[in-house]
Amino acid sequence: QDALDHTIVRKTNQVPSKYLIVSLDDIQNEQMEAFLGGKGVEDIRAFRAAVERADAGNLTTRPQDLTELIEYWQAHSKMGSRLELMKASVARRLLEGNPDQSALKPIALDTLRKGAQLVAAACTLGHESSIRVPDGVENRKGISIRDVLPSWDDAACEVLLGRPIFEQGIYGTVRFHHRSVREYLTAEWLHGLIVS
């Protein structure tokens, strides 16, 4: 993790700030080799060539995205198309990583996917990336999850918004972890309307 940290200090003509601004840099070259080795990729050269052929280089810069690529590679012994990778990513991120939590609030994966599609469509068509969580925090920024999923109770909404397909925003909001996932789920929702 320390190898991924990259410090950026912004200088201005004003009085120097006492705050240090730090951001996470993209995984590159030697860091990627070390990451792949640590995840058990035996033929690193073949993996990197497959990523290049699939034009999936943008999915290698963040640890969680790279982990998904590695898991796909190890499960299928090949790199998938953009569509196959997106489907696998969405399916993985809708799962609860902690089996104990999943047992406490069981919701069918298909139900979660349909909920995610509706939320994605609301965000995309409403030109709003933030989604308000039903935790009682007064906040007017973002789309209200209760408005998008009126038949869901707060507990079910919290289960959906707690899955890794979403990442924490600010002030009681979440957002899809990546815009391409939101757009893909919106397309799935639209396709479902067309074919039904």
Side-chain angles (χ1 to χ4, degrees):
Q1 184 86 23
D2 290 342
L4 300 177
D5 287 342
H6 176 67
T7 304
I8 300 171
V9 180
R10 302 186 194 275
K11 296 182 179 178
T12 65
N13 294 332
Q14 300 172 352
V15 177
S17 173
K18 59 183 172 184
Y19 298 103
L20 179 66
I21 300 173
V22 179
S23 69
L24 193 64
D25 201 3
D26 291 344
I27 298 174
Q28 298 176 9
N29 304 322
E30 297 84 19
Q31 295 168 337
M32 186 186 301
E33 303 265 336
F35 196 98
L36 293 171
K39 290 288 187 179
V41 175
E42 294 175 7
D43 192 343
I44 292 174
R45 182 177 289 178
F47 177 87
R48 293 188 78 164
V51 167
E52 191 172 322
R53 279 193 308 276
D55 192 27
N58 65 321
L59 299 175
T60 64
T61 60
R62 294 165 49 169
Q64 196 168 25
D65 292 340
L66 182 53
T67 297
E68 287 179 358
L69 278 184
I70 292 167
E71 288 177 359
Y72 191 96
W73 171 263
Q74 291 171 332
H76 300 91
S77 300
K78 68 177 184 113
M79 193 57 60
S81 67
R82 298 288 290 192
L83 179 60
E84 289 169 331
L85 293 173
M86 180 63 74
K87 285 181 177 180
S89 175
V90 168
R92 178 183 185 270
R93 288 175 185 258
L94 281 173
L95 291 174
E96 170 59 61
N98 183 342
D100 294 335
Q101 284 294 105
S102 188
L104 287 174
K105 300 176 184 176
I107 298 180
L109 189 57
D110 188 53
T111 301
L112 288 173
R113 189 180 197 97
K114 287 178 181 170
Q117 288 172 354
L118 283 169
V119 174
C123 289
T124 301
L125 300 176
H127 302 285
E128 176 60 66
S129 60
S130 297
I131 305 135
R132 282 182 275 168
V133 298
D135 63 358
V137 174
E138 284 298 321
N139 180 17
R140 295 181 187 218
K141 180 172 172 45
I143 291 173
S144 168
I145 189 72
R146 291 182 179 114
D147 291 343
V148 178
L149 302 172
S151 64
W152 289 42
D153 62 23
D154 285 356
C157 290
E158 287 173 4
V159 168
L160 173 63
L161 298 180
R163 296 296 161 96
I165 201 164
F166 297 98
E167 61 184 27
Q168 294 300 313
I170 55 171
Y171 306 119
T173 66
V174 298
R175 60 182 57 216
F176 281 93
H177 84 280
H178 201 281
R179 190 184 76 198
S180 61
V181 170
R182 186 185 75 206
E183 291 169 351
Y184 170 74
L185 286 168
T186 301
E188 272 194 345
W189 174 75
L190 288 169
H191 181 260
L193 291 180
I194 291 167
V195 298
S196 61

